[in-house]
Amino acid sequence: MASIRQKPKQSGPATRGNAVAPPDFRNLGVMLRGLLGLNLMGLVTVALRGVPGDALMREALAMAGLLELPLMLGLLLAYMLAPVIASQTYRKATMLLAAVGVASVLATFPLLSSLAERADLWRWSLWAAGSCALLMAYFHWRAALATPALSEARVLALNARIRPHFFFNSLNGVLGVMRSDPRRAEQALESLADLFRSLMRENRDLVTVGDEIELANRYLDLERLRLGDRLKVVWDLRHCPLDAKVPPLMLQPLIENAVYHGIEPSPTPGEIQVRIAQRGRELVIEVDNPVQAETRQQQGNRMAQANIRERLMLFFDIEAQMDSGVKDGRYRVRICLPLRREGRA
């Protein structure tokens, strides 16, 4: 199986190598935090002036009125320069964002100075640069917190994936065909080795959908050894961009849950449907399976879904969504995430 590709310049949500990567200013969560954070700094600035209580609200509103125009311009510039910011070291990215803040003040000062009682270009510029530096310090702290969270999520992902019943069932399946079909047994052992190699790999970067599909097919080859014709999988990849990037170890656990809860309990054949498609600027992944009358322990299912949801949050912040439920006798998991392509920002 082709190894999961890693790009040195495109690291995971928190780090690039051992260093913290700059925030992505094309991410909705980053932009909202920047908007709220800088407005909060404006309120703190007013409070630190020691303004009397009866004038505090008036001063806060005046500060907000002066702040919003350069703030919106600065966020627009940060959005446009996001690929450049993301390619820098964190220190250089901080300096670049501070320069963006100062440029926004310089561009709007002629208009806003006529509205302010005390207009001082140097003071406003220093405030903008300092506030941008503080904002980047916040993002650095938040990314540093995400690093152990991502490692813990990976450990939980491994615990959810490497189920003892799957490992022993795979070995029993290999033993069952070893004499009758040695070549198939050999291929099954290769699939098992590749699957566990991927599971054990330390990988904090996004991987391609093509790699995830290949890993899922390795898993399905092993399950077909024991389930045979009972396991039917229909792939709808007509509009799937194979170079789209997703969190590692995301598709296989969804399919494993579909096998465990939708196919394995039934003595009759069942069909799992997997749809992956680009819709506008989003990548949509859907996995659904039949709902069996026999209830099974759902803890593993909830653990896997909670783990995937946590990693989606770590990689994409609030831009990714995941929902699940039963409709028309089938259980469906649906994931929507921003479309990112291999080799593109």
Side-chain angles (χ1 to χ4, degrees), residues 31-42 127 131 135 138:
M31 297 292 278
L32 287 177
R33 287 183 176 88
L35 180 64
L36 294 175
L38 290 171
N39 274 289
L40 179 60
M41 290 181 207
W127 187 92
S131 297
L135 182 65
Y138 161 74

Side-chain angles (χ1 to χ4, degrees), residues 156-193:
L156 291 175
L158 287 174
N159 290 336
R161 304 302 180 279
I162 307 176
R163 291 172 173 163
H165 86 275
F166 165 68
F167 178 69
F168 290 114
N169 285 339
S170 297
L171 291 181
N172 288 331
V174 171
L175 291 174
V177 298
M178 184 170 292
R179 291 185 178 180
S180 61
D181 194 345
R183 178 57 182 164
R184 188 180 181 189
E186 180 182 353
Q187 291 174 345
L189 288 176
E190 291 176 355
S191 295
L192 186 62

Side-chain angles (χ1 to χ4, degrees), residues 253-326:
L254 294 178
I255 295 177
E256 182 174 352
N257 280 333
V259 171
Y260 182 70
H261 296 285
I263 307 300
E264 192 175 333
S266 174
T268 59
E271 182 178 277
I272 296 173
Q273 297 177 357
V274 184
R275 290 173 291 275
I276 306 176
Q278 175 184 349
R279 296 180 184 172
R281 296 185 178 181
E282 286 189 327
L283 182 70
V284 180
I285 301 173
E286 295 179 347
V287 178
D288 67 60
N289 57 267
V291 175
Q292 304 299 335
E294 176 188 352
T295 58
R296 302 191 70 167
Q297 177 57 253
Q298 299 292 316
Q299 182 177 0
N301 193 20
R302 289 194 298 267
M303 181 187 299
Q305 289 190 26
N307 179 266
I308 293 172
R309 186 175 285 108
E310 179 180 1
R311 286 187 292 133
L312 286 171
M313 181 68 179
L314 288 169
F315 277 102
F316 298 107
D317 209 310
I318 62 174
E319 290 188 309
Q321 298 178 349
M322 176 177 176
D323 55 72
S324 59
V326 178

Side-chain angles (χ1 to χ4, degrees), residues 188-241:
L189 288 176
E190 291 176 355
S191 295
L192 186 62
D194 286 338
L195 182 61
F196 273 80
R197 189 179 298 114
S198 298
L199 293 174
M200 297 302 294
R201 180 180 292 119
E202 179 66 29
N203 194 329
R204 293 178 178 175
D205 289 351
L206 298 171
V207 300
T208 65
V209 170
D211 287 329
E212 285 289 285
I213 292 172
E214 189 170 358
L215 183 65
N217 277 319
R218 292 283 186 174
Y219 162 75
L220 289 169
D221 288 342
L222 292 167
E223 290 289 32
R224 288 190 182 99
L225 286 175
R226 65 189 185 88
L227 297 175
D229 294 337
R230 289 168 52 199
L231 175 58
K232 299 181 183 299
V233 181
V234 176
W235 294 86
D236 185 353
L237 305 176
R238 291 170 296 174
H239 306 290
C240 173

Side-chain angles (χ1 to χ4, degrees), residues 86-144:
S87 66
Q88 306 299 315
T89 64
Y90 208 92
R91 178 176 296 181
K92 290 182 178 179
T94 301
M95 296 172 63
L96 182 55
L97 190 68
V100 167
V102 173
S104 301
V105 170
L106 293 175
T108 57
F109 184 79
L111 173 63
L112 297 179
S113 59
S114 61
L115 304 176
E117 296 179 0
R118 299 182 299 274
D120 187 328
L121 179 60
W122 286 105
R123 183 163 56 87
W124 286 15
S125 298
L126 286 174
W127 187 92
S131 297
C132 289
L134 286 175
L135 182 65
M136 290 294 283
Y138 161 74
F139 283 126
H140 188 284
W141 169 78
R142 188 171 180 272

